[in-house]
Amino acid sequence: MPTPTNPRFDTKILARALRAGHRAALAQAITLIESRRSDHQAHARELVQALLPHTGKAIRVGITGSPGVGKSTTIDALGMFLIERGHKVAVLAVDPSSARSGGSILGDKTRMARLSASEHAFIRPSPSSGTLGGVAAKTREGMLLCEAAGFDVVLVETVGIGQSETAVCDMTDFFLALMLPGAGDELQGIKKGLVELADMIAINKADGDNVKRANAAAGEYRSALHILTPRSEHWHPPVVTYSALTATGIAELWQKVLDHRSAMTASGDFAARRREQQVKWMWSMLEQRMMARLRTEASIRSKVKKIEAEVAEGHVTPAVAAEQIVEWLR
Ligand SMILES: Nc1nc2c(ncn2[C@@H]2O[C@H](COP(=O)(O)OP(=O)(O)OP(=O)(O)O)[C@@H](O)[C@H]2O)c(=O)[nH]1
Ligand SMILES: [Mg+2]
């Protein structure tokens, strides 16, 4: 297959191979959208636009939780459960820290041993390109490519950090917050505002000695959720307990995702949420593009540097400088 650096590279050929379900083509296409080279980015835009009619059909689920809560183990168990039912599962991640640490939340494939060995699963670690906005935009496009390649469930993992959670919530249909039994974790989650994003709270590790504590935690979450206004009047986020290790409760957990989809589709909220997400995405792309111009266009960059110094010295007000920079971008 011609590579993007090849002058005879053809996005149509790549799109066709991807649609035919060739994993190498999907992987290559994602590499293309993650590239910073402007010729690659032009190809990537063309590719995503060409594939757009074949996207949007998957069930998109965001999964968050603090380190060690069992995200990887859950994705492995849930992924295998879905594959056994005939689904094709793509797993993506938004982890803006991966650039710095060099690692990635999906790096640990030993916790997803079964899924990573399955031909019906596609696992891709987080793009490691700087800003959260950039990482999220690339993950979102990666999701579209996975859908075009025939994956009908997309799981997007993120770390339990406010902004990346919002980003993942903004690209998925269902946002699942994983919690641990006990450990005072409950009220933390509520303080962080996470439960206001969550479409469901699932308490993991409800096995062995933990079952009682998990049930107690579930009770606390339920009463806490009671006093919050749900995001949709047609869905009150349930609280469930399960064990990723033994797969107990995984079927019930998935059933809630399906119930949510039915309720949201019937009320029209499903389509509304997707529409809103599209528009938000456009604006965030625009922001990215504008910022990229400031960073990459040499003529603008040097002027911006100068005016930045003047702002720092107090010679120019931030408002005047911002106005001037907007002028330069015209
Ligand atoms: N008892 C029990 N242990 C579990 C369960 N799920 C995960 N674990 C254990 O919890 C630890 C962390 O699990 P991971 O799946 O790696 O958690 P994670 O959220 O992906 O962690 P990070 O990737 O570090 O953020 C591992 O030792 C798992 O074996 C469960 O349902 N029950
Ligand atoms: Mg993990």
Side-chain angles (χ1 to χ4, degrees):
M1 193 183 305
T3 59
T5 40
N6 184 325
R8 281 174 39 232
F9 173 76
D10 185 347
T11 44
K12 285 200 192 72
I13 296 175
L14 183 56
R16 216 174 300 137
L18 185 148
R19 289 266 296 136
H22 296 297
R23 305 172 69 88
L26 175 57
Q28 196 196 5
I30 295 183
T31 304
L32 188 64
I33 56 172
E34 288 178 359
S35 168
R36 284 162 184 250
R37 275 180 47 172
S38 62
D39 57 333
H40 288 179
Q41 285 176 2
H43 282 313
R45 279 196 297 277
E46 208 177 284
L47 183 68
V48 176
Q49 181 69 38
L51 291 171
L52 203 59
H54 309 290
T55 65
K57 307 251 170 30
I59 304 183
R60 303 167 175 175
V61 179
I63 298 178
T64 188
S66 343
V69 71
K71 295 179 294 298
S72 304
T73 313
T74 300
I75 289 169
D76 196 51
L78 179 60
M80 290 315 292
F81 169 86
L82 293 167
I83 285 170
E84 278 157 22
R85 276 151 195 80
H87 290 289
K88 285 183 74 186
V89 180
V91 183
L92 306 172
V94 171
D95 180 8
S97 67
S98 67
R100 265 170 287 137
S101 64
S104 161
I105 41 178
L106 279 180
D108 180 16
K109 287 208 176 169
T110 56
R111 297 250 184 267
M112 293 186 286
R114 291 175 301 164
L115 204 59
S116 43
S118 169
E119 55 172 322
H120 303 291
F122 179 83
I123 301 178
R124 181 88 181 188
S126 176
S128 54
S129 72
T131 68
L132 171 62
V135 170
K138 284 166 186 186
T139 303
R140 208 185 316 242
E141 292 196 321
M143 178 171 78
L144 297 182
L145 297 181
C146 288
E147 290 180 342
F151 289 89
D152 60 353
V153 176
V154 182
L155 307 176
V156 188
E157 176 184 348
T158 189
V159 277
I161 297 171
Q163 280 185 319
S164 54
E165 284 174 335
T166 309
V168 171
C169 187
D170 281 346
M171 70 177 85
T172 51
D173 306 318
F174 189 94
F175 194 61
L176 171 60
L178 305 185
M179 301 284 175
L180 288 173
D185 203 72
E186 298 86 319
L187 296 170
Q188 277 174 34
I190 288 160
K191 255 189 262 156
K192 279 189 291 186
L194 164 63
V195 291
E196 280 142 329
L197 291 182
D199 294 300
M200 173 159 75
I201 290 177
I203 296 156
N204 187 25
K205 308 197 186 183
D207 46 44
D209 294 344
N210 267 333
V211 173
K212 248 173 99 178
R213 285 203 297 154
N215 288 335
E220 286 194 41
Y221 277 115
R222 279 190 199 106
S223 34
L225 282 179
H226 238 71
I227 54 171
L228 295 171
T229 315
R231 216 154 35 130
S232 160
E233 56 176 313
H234 303 105
W235 183 257
H236 290 260
V239 180
V240 301
T241 62
Y242 76 106
S243 165
L245 210 57
T246 65
T248 311
I250 288 285
E252 290 78 4
L253 187 150
W254 185 249
Q255 188 54 47
K256 294 287 185 206
V257 177
L258 298 179
D259 291 349
H260 174 265
R261 196 177 177 90
S262 307
M264 295 294 100
T265 305
S267 68
D269 285 14
F270 182 83
R273 181 159 163 176
R274 285 250 176 130
R275 273 198 304 270
E276 248 170 59
Q277 289 176 338
Q278 290 286 100
V279 174
K280 254 195 196 173
W281 183 10
M282 180 194 79
W283 287 107
S284 98
M285 292 297 264
L286 179 62
E287 231 173 83
Q288 300 288 319
R289 290 291 294 274
M290 303 290 263
M291 294 312 285
R293 272 190 68 195
L294 290 183
R295 279 196 307 270
T296 54
E297 276 180 36
S299 63
I300 299 183
R301 205 171 59 182
S302 60
K303 284 192 286 190
V304 168
K305 262 213 142 78
K306 235 166 115 192
I307 204 160
E308 192 186 65
E310 290 184 68
V311 169
E313 293 304 321
H315 300 321
V316 177
T317 71
V320 168
E323 182 62 27
Q324 178 62 70
I325 292 169
V326 170
E327 257 327 289
W328 291 332
L329 281 173
R330 281 155 71 105

